[in-house]
Amino acid sequence: MREFNQNDGDNPTKLDQLRKLHPQLTEKAIVDYVNGLEVLDDHLRFRDRTNNKFFIRIWDSITGKTAQRQQIIDHNIITSLNTVYVWLQDIQLHQGESDIAVTSLAGKLAETRTGLMRLQKRHNELAENVQAIEQRLEQFEIQVENRWTRLESEVQYLSAQAHLDQVFIKWQARYSKKYPPLAGLYLMIDELYWGKFGIYCRKKFGTSEVCQLMEQLGDKALILMETDLKGDVSQLMFPKEWLSPIQNLPEESREALSYLSNWADRQTTPVTWAIRNAALLESGLPDDFPRVFSGEHAINHLMYENKKRIQGNNDY
């Protein structure tokens, strides 16, 4: 241990390598130091005892034992102090390294903590931004859907209105003279029922848009009726005057008319039922059939029955 202390105390690199290779060196140095203190303590106690005896002190001085014992004590003190010095140097060296490492690690951990806090803050901000964007997208999607619904409804309304204009122009220009007024009016309304006009009215029944279309249909039906009746739509006529011309139609026209009106019911839609009955060359009228009615009344009756047909959404 003496050689270890003397030769390697001034070489921390070699001492560190030895300590890593033999970690028990530190423990042994401490044990040797303690043992040295015990030996030193024994010599000191023995010297104290002998110093009180005059003859022994004289004899030891003559024989040189006193000087030898003092030399042993001094050597043990120096050796112990050297051991403690080297051991403390090693502890101080590695303690310094540990302090530096701990300080550096603490700094890195502080930087990491700060970075994590900034990352967490950024993450929270990002999450808030994503949530805000998601909410905006949902609102935008609702707005687009609402606009699309309105646009689709407007397109359907315009299509129904265009269908009404198209059918009216066709009947006014080509077919009004081929059928009696009551039959021509019913056939025009029935054609509208099967097209875009009827589809829109069934889908949107009860809305202001459907009411507007129905008013337009009533106006156009009045124009058609005025043309057929030479302008006198308020003149009252008997049922026979309205229905007899239907019985005089060609057979194929009567068959088509009866087929297109076969949905009518004697009680709920009496005017349409009377038209079909006349097309079949059958006599008889429903009990609540009007006894006299004008062109305006005919329009009102057929419009009312058509609304009931649309409302019932029958498969006709």
Side-chain angles (χ1 to χ4, degrees):
M1 185 64 191
R2 183 183 303 115
E3 182 180 358
F4 166 70
N5 291 332
Q6 292 175 350
N7 297 336
D8 299 331
D10 296 332
N11 190 348
T13 302
K14 187 175 181 181
L15 179 61
D16 183 59
Q17 293 175 352
L18 290 173
R19 185 177 58 82
K20 290 180 180 180
L21 182 62
H22 307 291
Q24 69 273 24
L25 286 175
T26 300
E27 285 76 9
K28 187 177 188 313
I30 295 173
V31 173
D32 288 346
Y33 169 67
V34 173
N35 292 333
L37 291 178
E38 292 178 352
V39 173
L40 179 62
D41 186 58
D42 292 339
H43 283 289
L44 291 174
R45 285 197 303 271
F46 180 80
R47 190 181 65 178
D48 290 340
R49 289 195 303 269
T50 57
N51 284 341
N52 295 327
K53 298 178 181 181
F54 177 76
F55 293 105
I56 295 177
R57 188 168 60 250
I58 295 299
W59 176 253
D60 287 342
S61 297
I62 295 173
T63 58
K65 289 183 177 181
T66 300
Q68 184 180 5
R69 186 177 294 109
Q70 184 62 44
Q71 184 178 6
I72 293 173
I73 292 173
D74 294 340
H75 180 73
N76 274 279
I77 291 174
I78 293 173
T79 301
S80 298
L81 290 176
N82 284 335
T83 301
V84 172
Y85 172 73
V86 174
W87 178 67
L88 290 176
Q89 262 194 334
D90 182 65
I91 290 179
Q92 183 180 10
L93 175 63
H94 290 88
Q95 182 64 39
E97 294 178 354
S98 298
D99 291 342
I100 294 174
V102 170
T103 303
S104 177
L105 180 60
K108 294 297 182 181
L109 289 176
E111 293 177 3
T112 303
R113 181 176 179 273
T114 303
L116 288 176
M117 292 176 64
R118 288 198 301 266
L119 181 62
Q120 181 65 35
K121 181 179 179 182
R122 179 58 180 166
H123 175 74
N124 294 337
E125 293 175 353
L126 182 61
E128 293 177 356
N129 293 334
V130 170
Q131 186 176 5
I133 293 174
E134 184 178 1
Q135 291 177 352
R136 294 194 191 100
L137 287 176
E138 290 178 355
Q139 295 175 355
F140 180 71
E141 183 180 2
I142 293 174
Q143 293 175 357
V144 170
E145 185 176 356
N146 292 336
R147 291 180 181 179
W148 172 256
T149 301
R150 290 196 298 268
L151 179 61
E152 186 179 18
S153 180
E154 291 175 0
V155 170
Q156 292 174 354
Y157 176 83
L158 293 175
S159 298
Q161 192 176 48
H163 184 222
L164 172 60
D165 294 337
Q166 179 185 1
V167 172
F168 169 72
I169 292 173
K170 183 183 72 173
W171 276 94
Q172 186 182 39
R174 301 178 186 177
Y175 299 107
S176 60
K177 296 180 180 179
K178 293 184 179 181
Y179 289 90
L182 194 61
L185 178 61
Y186 169 77
L187 289 172
M188 185 184 75
I189 294 175
D190 185 72
E191 183 175 349
L192 290 170
Y193 175 86
W194 288 101
K196 293 181 179 179
F197 180 91
I199 294 174
Y200 182 82
C201 290
R202 287 191 292 274
K203 184 177 180 180
K204 301 290 186 177
F205 186 82
T207 62
S208 59
E209 290 80 6
V210 173
C211 292
Q212 292 175 2
L213 289 175
M214 288 297 179
E215 290 178 0
Q216 295 177 27
L217 174 58
D219 294 338
K220 294 182 183 302
L222 185 60
I223 295 173
L224 187 64
M225 186 64 72
E226 287 176 348
T227 301
D228 293 341
L229 298 179
K230 305 301 189 286
D232 192 2
V233 295
S234 61
Q235 181 180 357
L236 295 175
M237 300 171 59
F238 292 103
K240 185 177 180 180
E241 294 180 79
W242 288 105
L243 299 174
S244 295
I246 296 176
Q247 295 177 339
N248 297 327
L249 286 172
E251 181 179 0
E252 62 276 7
S253 298
R254 287 188 288 105
E255 289 180 354
L257 181 59
S258 65
Y259 176 73
L260 293 174
S261 59
N262 63 2
W263 59 272
D265 180 75
R266 181 187 182 97
Q267 302 298 326
T268 58
T269 54
V271 176
T272 304
W273 185 89
I275 293 173
R276 178 176 182 272
N277 202 44
L280 295 173
L281 302 178
E282 296 179 0
S283 60
L285 296 174
D287 296 336
D288 57 349
F289 195 83
R291 300 309 172 186
V292 290
F293 57 93
S294 64
E296 291 179 344
H297 292 151
I299 294 172
N300 291 335
H301 282 296
L302 287 177
M303 289 283 295
Y304 175 75
E305 293 180 4
N306 185 60
K307 288 181 180 179
K308 292 181 65 175
R309 186 186 185 189
I310 291 174
Q311 185 178 11
N313 198 21
N314 297 320
D315 297 329
Y316 295 115

